[in-house]
Amino acid sequence: MEISGGITASLQGRYASALYQLAAETKAVSAVEGDLEKVSQAILGSADLAGLIRNPRISRDAAAQTMAGLGKLLKLSPLTTKFLGALADNRRLAKLPEIVAAFATIAAAARGELAAEVTSAHALTDAQLKAVAAKLRAREGKEVKLTAKVDPDLLGGLIVRIGSTQIDSSIRTRLNTLAQAMKG
């Protein structure tokens, strides 16, 4: 499997790549991918957890114990739980959201898919997400795995990110462009 050099060159990419290789060896890629999604949702849903992973004052032991507890609470696989412990021991928990994203990109590439992030002003329906996925599949010629996010500041429209490519059709950007044009 070919992994983009841009991903593996970054710190989070190296961690994600190492985790992917371990998961592939144990045939647990989909389990780890699901685990990381659970962890990501837990971070988004808990301000305390989000603060903890970014707090440099938390000791390595306390962070490792918290990650072990999180592993039990979310019923994570032993590999994912050990990985979170290693991140805590190496003081890399602050990079966890980026590691999760890099892992998803690597896993999608291994399956021949593209990982895409769609940001909209309001939550998209399943039918809308399918339509966006179909358009991206036609454009890119590959299966596309979408991750949907909501940003009310967009006002309307979409921002789609596929790797390093961004397609911005948001109303906010159009208004900003118009404002710049009017300034002269």
Side-chain angles (χ1 to χ4, degrees):
M1 172 199 56
E2 180 65 28
I3 299 173
S4 169
I7 291 174
T8 57
S10 65
L11 174 82
Q12 56 270 22
R14 289 191 303 270
Y15 274 97
S17 180
L19 177 60
Y20 181 84
Q21 289 173 359
L22 288 171
E25 287 173 9
T26 59
K27 299 187 182 351
V29 172
S30 60
V32 171
E33 195 170 15
D35 288 349
L36 292 177
E37 181 59 32
K38 287 180 194 175
V39 171
S40 182
Q41 292 302 315
I43 292 169
L44 290 173
S46 171
D48 290 339
L49 181 58
L52 178 127
I53 67 169
R54 289 177 176 79
N55 188 342
R57 293 183 181 168
I58 302 292
S59 72
R60 293 173 197 246
D61 289 339
Q65 288 175 1
T66 301
M67 291 299 109
L70 184 66
K72 288 180 185 173
L73 179 70
L74 297 178
K75 297 179 174 64
L76 303 179
S77 68
L79 177 59
T80 306
T81 303
K82 287 178 186 176
F83 179 73
L84 293 175
L87 289 178
D89 287 343
N90 294 331
R91 294 198 167 280
R92 299 291 189 224
L93 284 175
K95 294 289 184 186
L96 186 55
E98 292 91 354
I99 292 169
V100 170
F103 186 91
T105 300
I106 292 168
R111 289 189 299 268
E113 297 175 345
L114 287 175
E117 180 181 277
V118 178
T119 307
S120 59
H122 304 284
L124 298 176
T125 65
D126 288 339
Q128 290 170 324
L129 287 172
K130 286 180 184 175
V132 170
K135 291 280 187 187
L136 292 173
R137 187 178 319 111
R139 179 178 186 245
E140 299 295 327
K142 291 185 177 182
E143 203 54 42
V144 177
K145 182 178 179 186
L146 289 181
T147 304
K149 292 173 73 175
V150 175
D151 180 2
D153 292 340
L154 294 182
L155 303 175
L158 299 173
I159 297 176
V160 179
R161 285 187 186 88
I162 303 173
S164 62
T165 304
Q166 178 172 302
I167 304 165
D168 190 342
S169 66
S170 67
I171 292 174
R172 177 182 64 190
T173 299
R174 290 180 184 179
L175 289 174
N176 287 342
T177 303
L178 181 62
Q180 290 299 322
M182 291 174 67
K183 286 182 181 177

